[in-house]
Amino acid sequence: MPLQFLRQEQYSISKISELVGYASDHSFSGAFKRRYGQSPSHYRKAHSKKSKP
């Protein structure tokens, strides 16, 4: 679910961390990076709908 939120760009990363149950942006970012190998903001930039032609 966080991947979908990041691609949609409807919510800030702070709001996404709250929606998926993390107490802080820092804990969400750390867990995301361990799971996906990149930060949520880097993932968003690479997979945003705006970056697609």
Side-chain angles (χ1 to χ4, degrees):
M1 187 174 343
L3 299 179
Q4 180 180 359
F5 286 142
L6 288 167
R7 284 190 299 258
Q8 290 175 349
E9 299 185 57
Q10 181 178 357
Y11 300 111
S12 67
I13 292 172
S14 179
K15 182 64 176 173
I16 293 168
S17 67
E18 181 183 320
L19 290 170
V20 298
Y22 284 87
S24 71
D25 300 353
H26 183 74
S27 58
F28 170 65
S29 292
F32 189 94
K33 190 167 187 174
R34 283 189 299 278
R35 172 85 163 113
Y36 299 104
Q38 57 189 326
S39 69
S41 59
H42 186 263
Y43 180 90
R44 172 173 271 174
K45 287 176 190 171
H47 295 91
S48 74
K49 291 179 180 179
K50 291 178 187 175
S51 68
K52 306 290 184 212

